[in-house]
Amino acid sequence: MLKRQNPSSPEHSRELAADGGALSMSHNDSRSVFNLSQLVLSAGQIKPSPALKHSKITYFEVEIVDVQSKKQICIVDKVSPASTLLDVKHKFHKACPQWYPSRVGLQLERNGPFLKDSISIQSLAVSSIITLYFTDLGQQVGWTTFFLTEYTGPLLIYLLFYIRLSTIYDQVESRKNFRHPVVHLACFCHCLHYIRHLLETLFVHKFSEGHTPLKNMIKGCAFYWGFTSWMAYYINHPRYTPPSFGHKQVSYAALAFLMCEAGNHFINVALAHQTNSGNRTCFPSPTYNPFTWLFLLVSCPNYTYEAGSWISFTVMTQTLPVGIFAFLLVIQMSLWAQKKHKLYLKRFYPEVGRRAAMIPIIL
């Protein structure tokens, strides 16, 4: 016969306790899940923690090699891809203090052009090691210093001759001879020309990056200062002979000089305004100012006006040194204009093709 279990037996009690414990545990778990869900709903959606990004930056090593001997000078290591060539020059200067960044010329190839300071290192990289050839450019000066020195000299030198120093002219002869009005007018025009250059250097022109060798400044100063001394000596001499056609020749030439000076200034302002606005994708165009309409005929009207100023000054003073100076200056500016005109033709051919470089129709 089957033996009936006694509900009050110890075994039955343990089973009931186990069942009751299981029920109570499952009940507590359900309450915990419920409370957790309420907490989540009240706190908002749980955002997963962002995964850490392990970005591996590749650094470059720049090997500086002497362009003549092909010997390694130093290695600039840990150069980031965002660095520019100017950053490399500064690190190179720290390793070799005798070479300032302004006098360091770097080339990608031995016979190649010098690289600009703004170029990025990443654009030069073929591998993690970049080889650049070093050239010592010599002592350098900034463009602002270059032009201020070049233009201040003629302004002061001419005034020294104008006041007729005793060390230059005979004082007895200077007191006897009357100064023709063209002498005073020539001094005014000459000073106006170089004062305009100085003010435009300080407040109008925006020079490109880089420097120029000191020897270029010495050559420029020798040219301008020397010719100014020669011109001023004859124009301010007590025995100076006025122009052949008298007042009419002086008046027309002075008027042409002032118009060329104004045109040159407005052209420089228009070019500076275009550069400051960042619009370099189109050829410089004339504005509402009539002096800028010369852009329709030539690609370098500033050189045209500059040549016109010195030709007018030659006619006004009728002096051989001024004529020689104007002749040499026109030749030099025509070469500069031809070079710029070729660059304009490469970039803006359909628009520049019908224009001349400096002199309408001829150049």
Side-chain angles (χ1 to χ4, degrees):
M1 291 179 63
L2 293 174
K3 189 175 180 180
R4 189 175 180 179
Q5 289 184 350
N6 186 5
S8 59
S9 63
E11 295 179 1
H12 183 69
S13 299
R14 284 195 297 268
E15 290 176 2
L16 289 177
D19 293 338
L23 289 174
S24 65
M25 288 180 62
S26 62
H27 182 67
N28 291 335
D29 291 344
S30 62
R31 289 187 61 184
S32 299
V33 172
F34 177 77
N35 293 334
L36 181 61
S37 62
Q38 291 294 326
L39 180 62
V40 170
L41 291 175
S42 63
Q45 186 178 1
I46 296 178
K47 296 181 180 180
S49 59
L52 295 177
K53 296 181 179 179
H54 300 282
S55 57
K56 187 177 180 181
I57 301 177
T58 303
Y59 291 96
F60 297 101
E61 289 185 357
V62 179
E63 180 188 20
I64 308 296
V65 179
D66 185 79
V67 70
Q68 299 294 337
S69 62
K70 299 182 182 179
K71 293 182 179 179
Q72 183 189 96
I73 300 176
C74 73
I75 292 180
V76 181
D77 56 353
K78 293 185 178 180
V79 179
S80 65
S83 299
T84 62
L85 199 68
L86 184 60
D87 299 328
V88 174
K89 288 183 178 181
H90 282 291
K91 292 185 177 182
F92 178 57
H93 172 58
K94 290 182 179 180
C96 304
Q98 68 271 27
W99 290 308
Y100 292 91
S102 60
R103 66 183 297 169
V104 174
L106 296 178
Q107 303 162 274
L108 198 59
E109 298 176 355
R110 291 189 64 192
N111 298 324
F114 290 109
L115 302 173
K116 293 183 177 181
D117 291 344
S118 58
I119 193 170
S120 65
I121 293 298
Q122 193 171 13
S123 63
L124 303 175
V126 179
S127 63
S128 60
I129 300 177
I130 305 171
T131 301
L132 297 178
Y133 293 94
F134 162 76
T135 301
D136 185 8
L137 301 177
Q139 191 171 355
Q140 304 286 302
V141 293
W143 285 109
T144 302
T145 304
F146 176 89
F147 287 112
L148 289 179
T149 306
E150 192 175 67
Y151 297 143
T152 303
L155 178 63
L156 299 178
I157 290 172
Y158 196 97
L159 291 176
L160 292 177
F161 283 92
Y162 176 74
I163 62 178
R164 290 181 176 178
L165 294 176
S166 59
T167 55
I168 301 176
Y169 303 111
D170 181 66
Q171 292 299 305
V172 177
E173 194 175 15
S174 298
R175 294 191 192 97
K176 288 182 179 179
N177 294 322
F178 172 76
R179 290 196 187 192
H180 194 273
V182 70
V183 176
H184 304 290
L185 183 61
C187 180
F188 170 78
C189 292
H190 190 274
C191 292
L192 177 67
H193 177 78
Y194 284 102
I195 289 174
R196 178 185 64 81
H197 272 304
L198 290 172
L199 293 177
E200 288 178 352
T201 300
L202 293 173
F203 304 108
V204 177
H205 293 302
K206 301 298 180 183
F207 300 106
S208 58
E209 62 177 14
H211 300 73
T212 185
L214 179 63
K215 61 181 181 180
N216 289 347
M217 189 180 75
I218 295 175
K219 289 190 294 185
C221 290
F223 177 78
Y224 279 95
W225 294 17
F227 266 103
T228 299
S229 303
W230 192 22
M231 293 186 297
Y233 177 79
Y234 282 97
I235 295 174
N236 296 285
H237 199 280
R239 296 183 183 180
Y240 169 72
T241 304
S244 304
F245 296 96
H247 180 71
K248 185 177 292 185
Q249 177 180 345
V250 173
S251 300
Y252 287 140
L255 180 61
F257 177 87
L258 294 176
M259 291 182 63
C260 289
E261 287 294 304
N264 201 343
H265 172 70
F266 288 122
I267 290 295
N268 290 331
V269 170
L271 291 174
H273 177 73
Q274 185 182 30
T275 302
N276 292 338
S277 61
N279 185 15
R280 298 185 181 183
T281 58
C282 60
F283 180 75
S285 57
T287 63
Y288 62 89
N289 191 331
F291 286 100
T292 63
W293 294 351
L294 196 58
F295 269 122
L296 299 173
L297 301 176
V298 295
S299 58
C300 301
N302 51 333
Y303 294 148
T304 307
Y305 281 123
E306 184 78 10
S309 294
W310 285 109
I311 292 174
S312 302
F313 194 77
T314 303
V315 176
M316 180 177 63
T317 58
Q318 195 173 312
T319 308
L320 180 62
V322 182
I324 296 176
F325 176 74
F327 176 74
L328 295 177
L329 206 63
V330 168
I331 292 177
Q332 180 61 68
M333 287 188 296
S334 65
L335 296 176
W336 290 339
Q338 296 263 357
K339 186 177 180 180
K340 282 191 175 181
H341 187 66
K342 290 180 181 179
L343 294 176
Y344 285 145
L345 285 175
K346 291 180 180 179
R347 297 180 60 185
F348 319 109
Y349 171 70
E351 195 173 356
V352 187
R354 297 181 180 179
R355 290 176 173 83
M358 182 177 126
I359 302 177
I361 301 174
I362 300 176
L363 294 175

